[in-house]
Amino acid sequence: MKIGVIGFQGDVEEHINILKKLGEKYNNIEPVRIRNKEHLSEVSAIIIPGGESTTIYKLILEYGIYDNIIERVRNGTPLMGTCAGLIIASSSTNDPRVVGMGLLDVDIQRNGYGRQGDSFMNEVEIDGIGRFLAVFIRAPVIKSVNQGKVMASYSGKAIMVRDKNVLGLTFHPELTEDTKIHEYFIRMIGGEGGVSTGMHAGSVRVK
Ligand code: GLN
């Protein structure tokens, strides 16, 4: 099963390395760097990485895959957006330079933790996953969750939300050694949590 990482800017290699590492445990995981429609059409799930959301957004538009991503995810393809990836997947942002795809119905404030909070780490408790060291880098704030389930919060604010086949995080699981969130995403692709489109259920095998 191919899992694609939108591969223009940001933590692309970091996500790919975690997926490679998990390939040792799940024998049919193959990470793919997505840069065009052909790559996108090959994958069973999509990750939009952390990075600079204005840049990633611009390149997604320039390479002509903005509408294709929306169509795939609306048709049930699982999506995980981390940090900048969440901003791009959201339904609204406070910055006209990044128009959210409307795939996760949350309202976003970019760089919402302010300058002092440019970077910090905190151990958080995630529903169904457990303790996780969350790394926040110029993180967005989720101002409101209009639809979906809040899986984790930090200082009274949602930091991880899932709505059916879409998972959004304000932090960077790709920047730690801990693979629990990527494993959760792989289980999501396999249908856990009631999102299966029927297309890939059962395709995730643990060695
Ligand atoms: N602040 C960044 C942005 O708005 C996102 C943070 C990140 O992905 N590290 O693009």
Side-chain angles (χ1 to χ4, degrees), residues 11 49-54 82-85 87 110-111 137-140 172:
D11 303 336
E52 174 53 43
S53 58
T54 51
T82 61
C83 204
I87 300 172
R110 285 190 64 213
N111 304 323
I137 302 171
R138 295 192 307 119
H172 293 271

Side-chain angles (χ1 to χ4, degrees), residues 5-25:
V5 183
I6 301 299
F8 301 119
Q9 192 270 337
D11 303 336
V12 182
E13 288 307 320
E14 287 81 354
H15 275 292
I16 287 178
N17 286 338
I18 291 189
L19 294 171
K20 277 187 187 153
K21 199 161 138 189
L22 289 176
E24 292 160 18
K25 182 169 174 187

Side-chain angles (χ1 to χ4, degrees), residues 121-189:
M121 292 194 282
N122 211 80
E123 204 171 64
V124 298
E125 178 70 28
I126 304 174
D127 276 1
I129 292 179
R131 308 290 297 166
F132 197 92
L133 183 63
V135 178
F136 297 87
I137 302 171
R138 295 192 307 119
V141 163
I142 298 177
K143 301 292 282 181
S144 60
V145 178
N146 308 315
Q147 201 172 305
K149 179 177 176 290
V150 176
M151 293 181 64
S153 299
Y154 170 70
S155 69
K157 296 183 180 93
I159 56 169
M160 181 163 174
V161 177
R162 174 175 171 186
D163 186 23
K164 299 188 246 346
N165 56 326
V166 182
L167 185 64
L169 294 74
T170 63
F171 56 97
H172 293 271
E174 70 274 22
L175 296 183
T176 50
E177 295 289 304
D178 194 336
T179 57
K180 284 200 293 287
I181 290 178
H182 287 77
E183 292 190 66
Y184 175 81
F185 184 57
I186 288 168
R187 293 199 303 276
M188 233 173 102
I189 302 167

Side-chain angles (χ1 to χ4, degrees), residues 86 90-93 104-108 142 144-147 161:
L86 162 68
S90 74
S91 51
S92 86
T93 80
L104 189 64
D105 196 355
V106 297
D107 301 318
I108 293 290
I142 298 177
S144 60
V145 178
N146 308 315
Q147 201 172 305
V161 177

